[in-house]
Short mmCIF file of all heavy atoms in Angstrom, two decimals:
data_model
loop_
_atom_site.label_atom_id
_atom_site.label_comp_id
_atom_site.label_asym_id
_atom_site.label_seq_id
_atom_site.Cartn_x
_atom_site.Cartn_y
_atom_site.Cartn_z
N MET A 1 0.86 -1.18 0.01
CA MET A 1 0.01 0.02 0.06
C MET A 1 0.91 1.24 -0.02
O MET A 1 1.82 1.34 0.79
CB MET A 1 -0.91 -0.04 1.24
CG MET A 1 -1.96 1.07 1.25
SD MET A 1 -2.99 1.02 2.69
CE MET A 1 -4.39 0.15 1.97
N THR A 2 0.57 2.18 -0.98
CA THR A 2 1.39 3.38 -0.97
C THR A 2 1.01 4.41 0.05
O THR A 2 -0.13 4.33 0.61
CB THR A 2 1.25 4.04 -2.40
OG1 THR A 2 -0.07 4.40 -2.56
CG2 THR A 2 1.68 3.07 -3.47
N ILE A 3 1.80 5.37 0.23
CA ILE A 3 1.42 6.46 1.19
C ILE A 3 0.12 7.19 0.75
O ILE A 3 -0.69 7.54 1.50
CB ILE A 3 2.62 7.51 1.19
CG1 ILE A 3 3.91 6.92 1.67
CG2 ILE A 3 2.19 8.77 2.03
CD1 ILE A 3 4.26 7.12 3.07
N GLN A 4 -0.06 7.35 -0.60
CA GLN A 4 -1.24 8.06 -1.11
C GLN A 4 -2.47 7.11 -0.84
O GLN A 4 -3.48 7.77 -0.44
CB GLN A 4 -1.11 8.23 -2.67
CG GLN A 4 -0.17 9.30 -3.05
CD GLN A 4 1.32 8.90 -3.05
OE1 GLN A 4 1.70 7.70 -2.86
NE2 GLN A 4 2.21 9.85 -2.96
N ASN A 5 -2.38 5.81 -0.92
CA ASN A 5 -3.44 4.99 -0.64
C ASN A 5 -3.77 5.06 0.88
O ASN A 5 -4.96 5.09 1.27
CB ASN A 5 -3.11 3.55 -0.96
CG ASN A 5 -3.18 3.31 -2.41
OD1 ASN A 5 -3.72 4.25 -3.24
ND2 ASN A 5 -2.54 2.27 -2.92
N VAL A 6 -2.77 5.03 1.72
CA VAL A 6 -3.02 5.10 3.20
C VAL A 6 -3.63 6.42 3.51
O VAL A 6 -4.69 6.40 4.34
CB VAL A 6 -1.67 5.01 3.97
CG1 VAL A 6 -1.87 5.23 5.48
CG2 VAL A 6 -1.09 3.67 3.74
N LEU A 7 -3.22 7.55 2.96
CA LEU A 7 -3.83 8.88 3.20
C LEU A 7 -5.30 8.93 2.74
O LEU A 7 -6.07 9.42 3.35
CB LEU A 7 -3.02 10.00 2.55
CG LEU A 7 -1.74 10.39 3.23
CD1 LEU A 7 -0.93 11.35 2.48
CD2 LEU A 7 -2.04 10.96 4.64
N ALA A 8 -5.46 8.33 1.53
CA ALA A 8 -6.83 8.29 0.94
C ALA A 8 -7.82 7.49 1.94
O ALA A 8 -8.96 7.88 2.05
CB ALA A 8 -6.91 7.82 -0.46
N GLN A 9 -7.32 6.35 2.44
CA GLN A 9 -8.21 5.49 3.13
C GLN A 9 -8.32 5.96 4.60
O GLN A 9 -9.50 5.92 5.13
CB GLN A 9 -7.59 4.05 3.21
CG GLN A 9 -8.51 3.03 3.78
CD GLN A 9 -8.07 1.68 3.50
OE1 GLN A 9 -7.12 1.42 2.72
NE2 GLN A 9 -8.59 0.68 4.18
N TYR A 10 -7.27 6.37 5.20
CA TYR A 10 -7.37 6.75 6.67
C TYR A 10 -7.28 8.19 6.97
O TYR A 10 -7.54 8.68 8.06
CB TYR A 10 -6.24 6.06 7.44
CG TYR A 10 -6.30 4.55 7.26
CD1 TYR A 10 -5.39 3.92 6.46
CD2 TYR A 10 -7.27 3.80 7.96
CE1 TYR A 10 -5.43 2.53 6.35
CE2 TYR A 10 -7.26 2.43 7.76
CZ TYR A 10 -6.39 1.83 6.98
OH TYR A 10 -6.49 0.38 6.85
N GLY A 11 -6.91 9.08 5.96
CA GLY A 11 -6.77 10.52 6.27
C GLY A 11 -5.43 10.79 6.87
O GLY A 11 -4.58 9.87 7.12
N PRO A 12 -5.07 12.11 7.01
CA PRO A 12 -3.72 12.42 7.54
C PRO A 12 -3.62 12.04 9.04
O PRO A 12 -4.62 12.00 9.79
CB PRO A 12 -3.66 13.93 7.43
CG PRO A 12 -4.99 14.36 7.32
CD PRO A 12 -5.85 13.27 6.69
N ARG A 13 -2.43 11.64 9.41
CA ARG A 13 -2.13 11.29 10.86
C ARG A 13 -2.24 12.52 11.69
O ARG A 13 -1.80 13.65 11.21
CB ARG A 13 -0.85 10.71 11.03
CG ARG A 13 -0.70 9.22 10.49
CD ARG A 13 0.64 8.73 10.87
NE ARG A 13 0.77 7.36 10.56
CZ ARG A 13 1.86 6.62 10.78
NH1 ARG A 13 2.89 7.17 11.44
NH2 ARG A 13 1.90 5.35 10.46
N GLU A 14 -2.73 12.31 12.88
CA GLU A 14 -2.66 13.43 13.84
C GLU A 14 -1.16 13.73 14.25
O GLU A 14 -0.32 12.80 14.29
CB GLU A 14 -3.34 13.07 15.21
CG GLU A 14 -3.58 14.18 16.14
CD GLU A 14 -4.29 13.78 17.37
OE1 GLU A 14 -5.08 12.75 17.32
OE2 GLU A 14 -4.09 14.46 18.40
N SER A 15 -0.70 14.96 14.40
CA SER A 15 0.61 15.27 14.70
C SER A 15 0.60 16.41 15.77
O SER A 15 -0.35 17.18 15.79
CB SER A 15 1.44 15.65 13.48
OG SER A 15 0.97 16.87 12.97
N MET A 16 1.68 16.37 16.55
CA MET A 16 1.90 17.39 17.53
C MET A 16 3.33 17.89 17.41
O MET A 16 4.23 17.12 17.24
CB MET A 16 1.67 16.90 18.96
CG MET A 16 0.22 16.47 19.14
SD MET A 16 -0.06 15.66 20.85
CE MET A 16 0.19 17.07 21.85
N GLU A 17 3.48 19.27 17.62
CA GLU A 17 4.87 19.77 17.48
C GLU A 17 5.48 20.06 18.89
O GLU A 17 4.78 20.47 19.72
CB GLU A 17 4.83 21.05 16.68
CG GLU A 17 4.41 20.87 15.22
CD GLU A 17 4.88 21.87 14.30
OE1 GLU A 17 5.58 22.85 14.74
OE2 GLU A 17 4.65 21.82 13.09
N TYR A 18 6.75 19.72 18.98
CA TYR A 18 7.52 19.97 20.22
C TYR A 18 8.87 20.64 19.87
O TYR A 18 9.40 20.38 18.78
CB TYR A 18 7.73 18.72 20.97
CG TYR A 18 6.53 18.02 21.54
CD1 TYR A 18 5.81 17.13 20.80
CD2 TYR A 18 6.10 18.49 22.75
CE1 TYR A 18 4.69 16.54 21.26
CE2 TYR A 18 4.87 17.82 23.35
CZ TYR A 18 4.29 16.92 22.53
OH TYR A 18 3.10 16.33 23.02
N ASP A 19 9.37 21.42 20.75
CA ASP A 19 10.78 21.91 20.59
C ASP A 19 11.77 20.84 20.65
O ASP A 19 12.71 20.79 19.94
CB ASP A 19 11.03 22.98 21.57
CG ASP A 19 10.10 24.21 21.47
OD1 ASP A 19 9.94 24.68 20.36
OD2 ASP A 19 9.60 24.64 22.45
N VAL A 20 11.64 19.87 21.61
CA VAL A 20 12.54 18.83 21.80
C VAL A 20 11.80 17.44 22.05
O VAL A 20 10.78 17.44 22.78
CB VAL A 20 13.39 19.03 23.11
CG1 VAL A 20 14.40 17.89 23.39
CG2 VAL A 20 14.10 20.36 23.08
N VAL A 21 12.16 16.50 21.28
CA VAL A 21 11.68 15.11 21.49
C VAL A 21 12.84 14.15 21.99
O VAL A 21 13.82 14.07 21.30
CB VAL A 21 11.03 14.57 20.10
CG1 VAL A 21 10.55 13.13 20.40
CG2 VAL A 21 9.87 15.45 19.76
N ILE A 22 12.56 13.59 23.13
CA ILE A 22 13.62 12.62 23.66
C ILE A 22 13.06 11.23 23.55
O ILE A 22 11.93 10.92 24.00
CB ILE A 22 13.83 12.99 25.16
CG1 ILE A 22 14.42 14.40 25.28
CG2 ILE A 22 14.75 11.93 25.87
CD1 ILE A 22 14.52 15.00 26.70
N VAL A 23 13.80 10.39 22.90
CA VAL A 23 13.41 9.04 22.73
C VAL A 23 13.97 8.15 23.84
O VAL A 23 15.17 8.04 24.01
CB VAL A 23 13.81 8.47 21.41
CG1 VAL A 23 13.36 6.96 21.16
CG2 VAL A 23 13.28 9.35 20.23
N GLY A 24 13.15 7.62 24.69
CA GLY A 24 13.51 6.76 25.78
C GLY A 24 13.32 7.43 27.17
O GLY A 24 13.83 8.45 27.42
N GLY A 25 12.46 6.82 27.95
CA GLY A 25 12.09 7.41 29.22
C GLY A 25 12.78 6.66 30.33
O GLY A 25 12.18 6.49 31.34
N GLY A 26 14.06 6.29 30.11
CA GLY A 26 14.86 5.80 31.22
C GLY A 26 15.52 6.96 32.04
O GLY A 26 15.08 8.16 31.81
N PRO A 27 16.37 6.65 32.97
CA PRO A 27 16.96 7.78 33.80
C PRO A 27 17.61 8.85 32.88
O PRO A 27 17.51 10.00 33.19
CB PRO A 27 17.99 7.02 34.57
CG PRO A 27 17.49 5.63 34.67
CD PRO A 27 16.78 5.29 33.45
N ALA A 28 18.23 8.46 31.79
CA ALA A 28 18.95 9.51 31.06
C ALA A 28 17.98 10.35 30.34
O ALA A 28 18.03 11.58 30.35
CB ALA A 28 19.89 8.75 29.95
N GLY A 29 16.98 9.79 29.74
CA GLY A 29 15.94 10.64 29.02
C GLY A 29 15.07 11.56 29.97
O GLY A 29 14.86 12.67 29.71
N LEU A 30 14.70 10.91 31.11
CA LEU A 30 13.94 11.75 32.02
C LEU A 30 14.77 12.85 32.66
O LEU A 30 14.31 14.04 32.80
CB LEU A 30 13.38 10.85 33.25
CG LEU A 30 12.34 9.79 32.77
CD1 LEU A 30 11.96 8.90 34.00
CD2 LEU A 30 11.11 10.53 32.26
N SER A 31 16.04 12.52 32.95
CA SER A 31 16.85 13.60 33.59
C SER A 31 17.19 14.68 32.57
O SER A 31 17.17 15.90 32.89
CB SER A 31 18.14 13.07 34.19
OG SER A 31 18.91 12.27 33.26
N ALA A 32 17.33 14.38 31.29
CA ALA A 32 17.47 15.30 30.16
C ALA A 32 16.33 16.18 30.04
O ALA A 32 16.43 17.46 29.91
CB ALA A 32 17.82 14.60 28.86
N ALA A 33 15.13 15.60 30.09
CA ALA A 33 13.88 16.34 30.07
C ALA A 33 13.70 17.33 31.17
O ALA A 33 13.47 18.57 31.01
CB ALA A 33 12.72 15.45 29.96
N ILE A 34 13.96 16.83 32.34
CA ILE A 34 13.83 17.65 33.52
C ILE A 34 14.87 18.90 33.49
O ILE A 34 14.44 19.97 33.81
CB ILE A 34 14.08 16.86 34.86
CG1 ILE A 34 12.91 15.95 35.04
CG2 ILE A 34 14.26 17.72 36.06
CD1 ILE A 34 13.10 14.79 36.10
N ARG A 35 16.10 18.53 33.21
CA ARG A 35 17.10 19.58 33.08
C ARG A 35 16.77 20.65 32.07
O ARG A 35 16.93 21.84 32.31
CB ARG A 35 18.49 18.95 32.78
CG ARG A 35 19.62 19.93 32.97
CD ARG A 35 19.80 20.36 34.39
NE ARG A 35 20.85 21.32 34.51
CZ ARG A 35 20.71 22.44 35.26
NH1 ARG A 35 19.58 22.67 35.86
NH2 ARG A 35 21.75 23.37 35.29
N LEU A 36 16.30 20.19 30.88
CA LEU A 36 15.89 21.16 29.85
C LEU A 36 14.77 22.11 30.39
O LEU A 36 14.90 23.34 30.19
CB LEU A 36 15.33 20.47 28.63
CG LEU A 36 16.38 19.97 27.60
CD1 LEU A 36 15.72 19.07 26.65
CD2 LEU A 36 17.02 21.19 26.83
N LYS A 37 13.82 21.57 31.07
CA LYS A 37 12.77 22.40 31.61
C LYS A 37 13.24 23.35 32.71
O LYS A 37 12.84 24.53 32.77
CB LYS A 37 11.58 21.52 32.10
CG LYS A 37 10.85 20.70 31.00
CD LYS A 37 10.17 21.51 30.03
CE LYS A 37 8.81 22.01 30.53
NZ LYS A 37 7.99 22.74 29.52
N GLN A 38 14.17 22.74 33.49
CA GLN A 38 14.79 23.67 34.59
C GLN A 38 15.57 24.90 33.94
O GLN A 38 15.35 25.99 34.39
CB GLN A 38 15.75 22.88 35.46
CG GLN A 38 15.04 21.92 36.41
CD GLN A 38 16.13 21.03 37.08
OE1 GLN A 38 17.21 20.78 36.68
NE2 GLN A 38 15.69 20.54 38.23
N LEU A 39 16.31 24.56 32.93
CA LEU A 39 17.15 25.61 32.27
C LEU A 39 16.18 26.68 31.62
O LEU A 39 16.38 27.88 31.71
CB LEU A 39 18.02 25.09 31.20
CG LEU A 39 19.27 24.26 31.80
CD1 LEU A 39 20.03 23.55 30.74
CD2 LEU A 39 20.25 25.17 32.56
N ALA A 40 15.08 26.14 30.99
CA ALA A 40 14.13 27.04 30.29
C ALA A 40 13.45 27.98 31.37
O ALA A 40 13.35 29.12 31.12
CB ALA A 40 13.15 26.20 29.58
N THR A 41 13.06 27.39 32.52
CA THR A 41 12.45 28.13 33.60
C THR A 41 13.37 29.25 34.07
O THR A 41 13.03 30.41 34.33
CB THR A 41 12.01 27.29 34.74
OG1 THR A 41 11.10 26.29 34.27
CG2 THR A 41 11.32 28.01 35.87
N GLN A 42 14.69 28.85 34.34
CA GLN A 42 15.66 29.83 34.68
C GLN A 42 15.77 31.03 33.85
O GLN A 42 16.03 32.16 34.30
CB GLN A 42 17.06 29.17 34.88
CG GLN A 42 17.27 28.36 36.15
CD GLN A 42 18.69 27.64 36.11
OE1 GLN A 42 19.46 27.90 35.37
NE2 GLN A 42 18.75 26.67 37.05
N GLN A 43 15.69 30.77 32.56
CA GLN A 43 15.87 31.73 31.57
C GLN A 43 14.48 32.38 31.12
O GLN A 43 14.52 33.07 30.09
CB GLN A 43 16.67 31.26 30.38
CG GLN A 43 18.00 30.81 30.63
CD GLN A 43 18.77 30.16 29.53
OE1 GLN A 43 18.44 30.36 28.39
NE2 GLN A 43 19.80 29.28 29.85
N HIS A 44 13.50 32.03 31.79
CA HIS A 44 12.13 32.62 31.59
C HIS A 44 11.74 32.37 30.11
O HIS A 44 11.22 33.15 29.45
CB HIS A 44 12.00 34.06 31.92
CG HIS A 44 12.45 34.42 33.36
ND1 HIS A 44 11.67 34.13 34.37
CD2 HIS A 44 13.57 34.94 33.76
CE1 HIS A 44 12.32 34.45 35.48
NE2 HIS A 44 13.48 34.95 35.11
N ARG A 45 12.03 31.08 29.72
CA ARG A 45 11.60 30.76 28.32
C ARG A 45 10.75 29.50 28.37
O ARG A 45 10.76 28.71 29.32
CB ARG A 45 12.89 30.39 27.48
CG ARG A 45 13.72 31.64 27.19
CD ARG A 45 15.11 31.31 26.68
NE ARG A 45 15.00 30.87 25.32
CZ ARG A 45 16.10 30.65 24.62
NH1 ARG A 45 17.30 30.90 25.05
NH2 ARG A 45 15.96 30.20 23.33
N GLU A 46 9.94 29.35 27.30
CA GLU A 46 8.97 28.27 27.22
C GLU A 46 9.57 27.18 26.29
O GLU A 46 9.85 27.58 25.06
CB GLU A 46 7.65 28.73 26.68
CG GLU A 46 6.55 27.75 26.71
CD GLU A 46 6.22 27.18 28.09
OE1 GLU A 46 6.20 27.95 28.96
OE2 GLU A 46 5.95 25.97 28.18
N VAL A 47 9.81 26.03 26.73
CA VAL A 47 10.29 24.90 25.87
C VAL A 47 9.41 23.73 25.98
O VAL A 47 9.09 23.20 27.14
CB VAL A 47 11.71 24.49 26.28
CG1 VAL A 47 12.22 23.35 25.45
CG2 VAL A 47 12.72 25.74 26.08
N SER A 48 8.80 23.27 24.94
CA SER A 48 8.03 22.03 24.98
C SER A 48 8.88 20.80 24.73
O SER A 48 9.60 20.77 23.83
CB SER A 48 6.80 22.12 24.03
OG SER A 48 7.32 22.25 22.72
N VAL A 49 8.75 19.87 25.75
CA VAL A 49 9.54 18.67 25.70
C VAL A 49 8.67 17.48 25.67
O VAL A 49 7.72 17.40 26.48
CB VAL A 49 10.49 18.58 26.96
CG1 VAL A 49 11.35 17.34 26.87
CG2 VAL A 49 11.45 19.83 26.97
N CYS A 50 8.94 16.57 24.82
CA CYS A 50 8.11 15.24 24.77
C CYS A 50 9.09 14.05 25.01
O CYS A 50 10.11 13.99 24.36
CB CYS A 50 7.53 15.07 23.30
SG CYS A 50 6.73 13.60 23.01
N VAL A 51 8.79 13.22 25.90
CA VAL A 51 9.53 11.96 26.13
C VAL A 51 8.74 10.85 25.56
O VAL A 51 7.57 10.56 25.97
CB VAL A 51 9.82 11.74 27.66
CG1 VAL A 51 10.52 10.53 27.90
CG2 VAL A 51 10.58 12.94 28.25
N LEU A 52 9.35 10.15 24.63
CA LEU A 52 8.72 8.91 23.99
C LEU A 52 9.23 7.70 24.63
O LEU A 52 10.42 7.43 24.70
CB LEU A 52 9.03 8.88 22.57
CG LEU A 52 8.24 9.73 21.59
CD1 LEU A 52 8.78 9.55 20.15
CD2 LEU A 52 6.77 9.41 21.60
N GLU A 53 8.41 6.83 25.18
CA GLU A 53 8.89 5.56 25.82
C GLU A 53 8.09 4.50 25.21
O GLU A 53 6.85 4.48 25.13
CB GLU A 53 8.57 5.69 27.26
CG GLU A 53 8.77 4.38 28.05
CD GLU A 53 10.19 3.74 27.76
OE1 GLU A 53 11.15 4.40 27.89
OE2 GLU A 53 10.18 2.48 27.42
N LYS A 54 8.81 3.44 24.68
CA LYS A 54 8.12 2.30 24.09
C LYS A 54 7.52 1.37 25.12
O LYS A 54 6.65 0.60 24.81
CB LYS A 54 9.12 1.59 23.15
CG LYS A 54 10.21 0.83 23.89
CD LYS A 54 11.10 0.08 22.96
CE LYS A 54 12.18 -0.68 23.72
NZ LYS A 54 13.10 -1.44 22.88
N GLY A 55 8.10 1.35 26.31
CA GLY A 55 7.54 0.49 27.32
C GLY A 55 6.32 1.02 27.92
O GLY A 55 5.89 2.12 27.65
N SER A 56 5.76 0.18 28.80
CA SER A 56 4.43 0.56 29.46
C SER A 56 4.64 1.57 30.51
O SER A 56 3.64 2.22 31.00
CB SER A 56 3.72 -0.63 29.99
OG SER A 56 4.50 -1.32 30.88
N GLU A 57 5.79 1.72 31.06
CA GLU A 57 6.14 2.69 32.06
C GLU A 57 7.47 3.44 31.83
O GLU A 57 8.37 2.83 31.23
CB GLU A 57 6.32 1.93 33.42
CG GLU A 57 5.03 1.24 33.99
CD GLU A 57 5.34 0.60 35.30
OE1 GLU A 57 6.51 0.48 35.71
OE2 GLU A 57 4.34 0.03 35.91
N VAL A 58 7.51 4.61 32.25
CA VAL A 58 8.71 5.38 32.19
C VAL A 58 9.58 5.08 33.40
O VAL A 58 9.11 4.58 34.41
CB VAL A 58 8.54 6.88 32.03
CG1 VAL A 58 7.87 7.23 30.69
CG2 VAL A 58 7.77 7.50 33.21
N GLY A 59 10.89 5.50 33.30
CA GLY A 59 11.77 5.29 34.46
C GLY A 59 12.35 3.89 34.52
O GLY A 59 12.91 3.49 35.62
C1 FAD B 101 19.37 -6.11 35.61
C2 FAD B 101 19.76 -4.73 35.83
C3 FAD B 101 19.74 -4.27 37.19
C4 FAD B 101 20.26 -2.92 37.46
N1 FAD B 101 20.25 -2.48 38.72
C5 FAD B 101 20.67 -1.24 38.99
C6 FAD B 101 20.65 -0.78 40.39
O1 FAD B 101 20.28 -1.43 41.28
N2 FAD B 101 21.07 0.55 40.60
C7 FAD B 101 21.52 1.33 39.51
O2 FAD B 101 21.86 2.53 39.82
N3 FAD B 101 21.58 0.90 38.28
C8 FAD B 101 21.24 -0.35 38.00
N4 FAD B 101 21.16 -0.80 36.67
C9 FAD B 101 21.74 0.06 35.70
C10 FAD B 101 20.59 0.96 35.20
O3 FAD B 101 19.46 0.27 34.92
C11 FAD B 101 21.07 1.78 33.99
O4 FAD B 101 22.43 2.38 34.18
C12 FAD B 101 20.14 2.89 33.55
O5 FAD B 101 18.89 2.30 33.42
C13 FAD B 101 20.62 3.52 32.21
O6 FAD B 101 19.63 4.44 31.83
P1 FAD B 101 19.38 4.96 30.40
O7 FAD B 101 18.29 5.98 30.59
O8 FAD B 101 20.69 5.33 29.84
O9 FAD B 101 18.88 3.58 29.73
P2 FAD B 101 17.52 2.81 29.95
O10 FAD B 101 17.16 2.75 31.37
O11 FAD B 101 17.75 1.55 29.21
O12 FAD B 101 16.40 3.59 29.19
C14 FAD B 101 16.27 3.63 27.88
C15 FAD B 101 14.69 3.70 27.59
O13 FAD B 101 14.51 3.98 26.19
C16 FAD B 101 13.38 3.13 25.82
N5 FAD B 101 13.56 2.94 24.32
C17 FAD B 101 14.48 2.25 23.69
N6 FAD B 101 14.26 2.36 22.40
C18 FAD B 101 13.19 3.08 22.20
C19 FAD B 101 12.37 3.48 21.02
N7 FAD B 101 12.78 3.25 19.81
N8 FAD B 101 11.30 4.26 21.26
C20 FAD B 101 10.81 4.52 22.44
N9 FAD B 101 11.48 4.21 23.60
C21 FAD B 101 12.69 3.45 23.47
C22 FAD B 101 13.55 1.84 26.58
O14 FAD B 101 12.28 1.16 26.75
C23 FAD B 101 14.06 2.36 27.94
O15 FAD B 101 12.95 2.66 28.82
C24 FAD B 101 20.70 -2.10 36.39
C25 FAD B 101 20.66 -2.64 35.08
C26 FAD B 101 20.28 -3.91 34.82
C27 FAD B 101 20.21 -4.41 33.39
#
């Protein structure tokens, strides 16, 4: 099935935009996400961060 057929049959996929996407919700991914948000808060900036985890639980 081609991309065109998939789009015709199911329509466009829902999508969401983030400034940063971190793949993996282990200690490294979670600490990176937390640190990014801390730095953004310190600098009075808004940063949207998404953590993608393939498992059923993060951490
Ligand atoms: C059996 C065992 C016991 C351990 N016991 C201890 C302990 O007692 N104390 C201690 O300090 N350390 C312990 N460790 C070590 C500790 O688990 C690791 O050092 C730590 O988890 C590494 O963190 P990480 O975030 O780098 O990787 P991980 O914890 O492996 O996190 C990576 C995450 O990314 C996810 N992921 C991978 N690919 C994708 C993908 N394509 N899409 C979405 N998500 C994805 C995974 O599901 C996982 O959740 C142990 C390790 C093992 C294997």
Side-chain angles (χ1 to χ4, degrees):
M1 188 178 263
T2 66
I3 299 261
Q4 286 75 20
N5 288 343
V6 172
L7 282 172
Q9 189 167 348
Y10 301 106
R13 284 186 176 182
E14 188 179 338
S15 67
M16 295 173 73
E17 293 205 358
Y18 292 92
D19 297 315
V20 180
V21 176
I22 295 169
V23 179
L30 292 177
S31 54
I34 290 167
R35 190 68 186 130
L36 275 170
K37 294 295 279 187
Q38 286 174 335
L39 290 171
T41 302
Q42 276 173 17
Q43 296 175 23
H44 305 288
R45 291 168 70 174
E46 186 63 35
V47 175
S48 57
V49 180
C50 172
V51 178
L52 279 178
E53 170 54 52
K54 70 177 179 180
S56 57
E57 292 178 356
V58 296

